Amino acid sequence: MKKISCVIMDWAGTAVDFGCFAPLNAFLKVFSEEKGIDITYRQAREPMGLLKIDHIKAILNMPEVKAKFQARYNRDWNMDDVNEMYRSFEKHLFSSLRNFTDPIPGVLDTMKLLREEGIKIGSTTGYTQAMMDVVRPDAAAKGYVVDNLVTPDDVPAGRPAPYMIYKNMIDLAIPSVDNVVKVGDTIADIKEGVNAKVWSIGIVTGSNEMGLTEEEYNHRSPDELIELKREVRERLLNAGAHFVLDNITELPACIEKINGKY
């Protein structure tokens, strides 16, 4: 048996930014307001967790969105469009990032418990290093601190490739994938963990997949939440998650289970 010695956390929607709204709002502004192409919340959220320029390409490749682009511009999209949209996305995101760095409820206490067990806290993200230069110190000022951060800028490719996880392992001197748990709230997070051959754990409450603000979450009826959580849990399991937890506070018990049974 190999004991878990490292937890690698995602950022938006897992550790901070309940509901993962900072990037969502920026994508909606770029597509709907600037390009005149209406996209749904679900379309904007589906590729979440990818490097953001890849996220834009993933939305543009969706059949409905591709058809809307062709109808509006009488041509297919190209990389010039992607680069223009990405520059606009960055502008909108940077103007609002500091508004979305509050730790998700339960995260601070959970990280404290993990550290008391000697577990190191790494992290990966779909944000660039420049974006994390805004998020990381703001989150730290509110109590959320990690031992290591790897962005897509540091590796050959972002999610769902496994490289950010492997670099965390190198930086933190973790000897085996058997010692690592990856925690995230998106399909891309889960696939990143699966591709790295580590334990891949999905979080429902506060997630991009759930897509609710904390206020919306608190005002939903119990029956509505049960059904919504069921749908989210199913999507994360279908992506390959080994475990899906209702909220981050269940993580220490899940790690105990892994340590005791596997």
Side-chain angles (χ1 to χ4, degrees):
M1 181 184 74
K2 295 184 178 180
K3 188 175 181 181
I4 299 301
S5 58
C6 177
V7 168
I8 299 178
M9 295 283 290
D10 172 51
W11 284 80
T14 302
V16 299
D17 186 6
F18 193 108
C20 198
F21 277 90
L24 174 75
N25 292 338
F27 285 126
L28 292 173
K29 285 181 179 178
V30 171
F31 277 86
S32 300
E33 295 180 16
E34 298 185 2
K35 298 300 287 186
I37 301 169
D38 288 332
I39 61 173
T40 66
Y41 274 32
R42 188 69 244 155
Q43 288 168 330
R45 286 185 178 282
E46 188 173 309
M48 203 70 80
L50 299 181
L51 180 63
K52 300 315 174 192
I53 196 166
D54 294 334
H55 189 136
I56 290 171
K57 288 189 282 187
I59 295 174
L60 286 168
N61 272 325
M62 294 175 183
E64 286 184 9
V65 178
K66 183 182 288 188
K68 287 181 179 179
F69 189 101
Q70 290 169 332
R72 183 169 180 83
Y73 295 101
N74 296 312
R75 62 176 176 84
D76 290 332
W77 63 270
N78 57 46
M79 280 306 298
D80 287 338
D81 298 305
V82 173
N83 289 329
E84 175 197 345
M85 294 172 77
Y86 181 69
R87 287 191 295 271
S88 181
F89 169 81
E90 280 196 323
K91 176 188 69 178
H92 291 301
L93 187 68
F94 277 114
S95 71
S96 65
L97 262 179
R98 283 191 171 87
N99 300 325
F100 296 94
T101 59
D102 289 349
I104 290 172
V107 167
L108 299 185
D109 289 341
T110 299
M111 296 304 106
K112 182 175 182 290
L113 288 173
L114 295 179
R115 282 199 165 95
E116 288 172 355
E117 293 297 318
I119 293 174
K120 297 177 181 178
I121 310 297
S123 64
T124 68
T125 180
Y127 285 159
T128 63
Q129 183 62 53
M131 294 168 190
M132 289 307 302
D133 286 342
V134 177
V135 173
R136 189 179 189 180
D138 265 43
K142 297 168 183 175
Y144 183 69
V145 179
V146 297
D147 300 319
N148 198 56
L149 164 66
V150 180
T151 75
D153 294 344
D154 302 316
V155 292
R159 298 167 182 154
Y163 305 121
M164 288 192 289
I165 289 177
Y166 293 153
K167 186 159 192 324
N168 268 284
M169 292 177 62
I170 292 168
D171 293 345
L172 295 171
I174 306 301
S176 170
V177 293
D178 294 332
N179 302 130
V180 178
V181 161
K182 169 67 206 307
V183 182
D185 68 297
T186 68
I187 302 302
D189 280 302
I190 299 304
K191 290 182 177 179
E192 177 187 32
V194 170
N195 290 337
K197 303 296 190 292
V198 302
W199 294 97
S200 196
I201 296 179
I203 303 293
V204 174
T205 301
S207 69
N208 170 75
E209 290 299 311
M210 176 169 275
L212 299 178
T213 67
E214 190 171 354
E215 183 179 4
E216 288 170 337
Y217 177 86
N218 290 333
H219 285 86
R220 286 292 179 101
S221 72
D223 288 344
E224 286 178 310
L225 284 178
I226 287 171
E227 177 57 23
L228 186 55
K229 288 181 177 184
R230 184 196 65 77
E231 293 171 2
V232 171
R233 184 172 289 105
E234 187 173 312
R235 287 198 295 272
L236 294 172
L237 287 171
N238 287 342
H242 297 99
F243 302 94
V244 177
L245 310 181
D246 181 82
N247 64 77
I248 195 69
T249 64
E250 298 176 356
L251 182 58
C254 184
I255 289 174
E256 274 191 38
K257 180 178 179 181
I258 293 171
N259 288 338
K261 290 190 174 183
Y262 300 96

